[in-house]
Amino acid sequence: MWSSSFEVSASRCLPDASILSMKEYLEAAANIQKALEIPVVADCDTGYGGNYNVAHMVHEFEGSGITAVCIEDKLFPKMNSFASGDQTLLSTMDFASKIETAKNEQSSEDFFVIARTEALIAGLGVDKAVERCAAYAQAGADAVLIHSKAPSKDEVMDFLDRWDNRLPVVIVPTTYPDWHIDDVRAAGVSAVIYANQGMRAALTALRNAYSAIYEAGDTTVLEQKIASVGEIFHLQRMSDWQKHA
């Protein structure tokens, strides 16, 4: 499960621009992890500052039971990759130092650090993306995330061709949604993050639901199309809690 900084920020009606504190992102990720029996990967932006901040981030997220963190090679404070504005990157050497710091600070071999390059987002091209990811792999990253906002998968495929399976590769196909998972797997990708479709779907569903109520004057038209209260109780494990009453 991906604990998205975009979605956590949006839940507060704030831009994904390093506005919230590490504590607020940590609380969201930790609450998700508590509710699930599957790994949670926390989107930790740039690591919330410099190397000291990255070290503190690892202590706190690992201590909260989070399986993995992902940090990106943009300058702090960062701006969401799909927004207009500055997408300047940290130097390769400085970000590799962040990765090395993160790996040195973890206490368990079961904690993973994903190095995300925004080289394609910043318009630096595939060569620079490969070069940066190679340096992050050398610094100890457990996987690399190659991010693109191009309308097709071509530059990601180009990256994969040049990467030669040095480390697992993660992708986020937000702007190239027609890449089928079987083809993604065949191309050598290890993990796919559908980073914001849930939030976007929820927004559409809410708009449709409240528009229907407004137009009809009651909720009759909706009742067969929406989850029951009982389904919510099930997700909350209500019956388990009631055993303690």
Side-chain angles (χ1 to χ4, degrees):
M1 183 63 68
W2 175 247
S3 181
S4 160
S5 67
F6 179 32
E7 294 190 335
V8 173
S9 298
S11 73
R12 299 279 296 275
C13 262
L14 290 170
D16 177 25
S18 299
I19 295 172
L20 296 179
S21 68
M22 184 199 80
K23 182 179 179 181
E24 291 166 299
Y25 289 116
L26 172 62
E27 181 179 28
N31 285 338
I32 294 170
Q33 187 69 81
K34 288 173 188 175
L36 302 179
E37 296 178 355
I38 61 175
V40 169
V41 180
D43 178 6
C44 292
D45 291 342
T46 62
Y48 310 111
N51 285 24
Y52 293 157
N53 305 91
V54 168
H56 179 53
M57 176 266 293
V58 169
H59 297 160
E60 295 298 306
F61 278 78
E62 184 179 17
S64 295
I66 304 301
T67 300
V69 294
C70 178
I71 59 175
E72 63 193 69
D73 55 3
K74 282 196 289 212
L75 292 177
F76 176 84
K78 60 61 90 61
M79 175 57 68
N80 183 277
S81 302
F82 300 116
S84 59
D86 186 21
Q87 301 289 352
T88 304
L89 305 191
L90 195 64
S91 75
T92 303
M93 182 180 298
D94 286 343
F95 188 73
S97 179
K98 282 189 176 184
I99 297 298
E100 187 173 2
T101 296
K103 293 302 295 179
N104 286 339
E105 292 300 321
Q106 70 183 67
S107 59
S108 166
E109 292 183 358
D110 295 329
F111 185 76
F112 297 93
V113 176
I114 301 170
R116 165 175 163 174
T117 185
E118 297 283 285
L120 299 180
I121 299 294
L124 301 182
V126 175
D127 287 343
K128 283 295 182 183
V130 172
E131 179 184 304
R132 280 177 168 267
C133 285
Y136 307 157
Q138 185 67 31
D142 297 294
V144 296
L145 189 158
I146 179 68
H147 200 208
S148 168
K149 59 181 178 182
S152 78
K153 63 183 182 295
D154 293 351
E155 61 181 4
V156 175
M157 286 288 291
D158 192 7
F159 174 90
L160 291 166
D161 289 342
R162 303 189 204 186
W163 182 242
D164 197 28
N165 295 317
R166 295 177 228 194
L167 277 182
V169 174
V170 183
I171 66 165
V172 188
T174 301
T175 59
Y176 47 102
D178 58 342
W179 202 3
H180 191 276
I181 191 64
D182 292 340
D183 298 324
V184 170
R185 184 183 293 111
V189 174
S190 295
V192 182
I193 297 171
Y194 297 103
N196 50 59
Q197 284 81 1
M199 177 177 64
R200 289 156 57 199
L203 177 58
T204 300
L206 287 168
R207 282 176 171 161
N208 291 341
Y210 288 112
S211 292
I213 295 170
Y214 182 81
E215 291 169 7
D218 61 36
T219 67
T220 306
V221 69
L222 280 179
E223 295 303 330
Q224 298 304 313
K225 302 177 182 179
I226 59 177
S228 67
V229 173
E231 289 179 85
I232 305 301
F233 284 170
H234 175 71
L235 289 173
Q236 294 172 322
R237 301 185 177 96
M238 177 66 80
S239 59
D240 291 340
W241 282 99
Q242 288 179 319
K243 292 175 184 177
H244 301 296

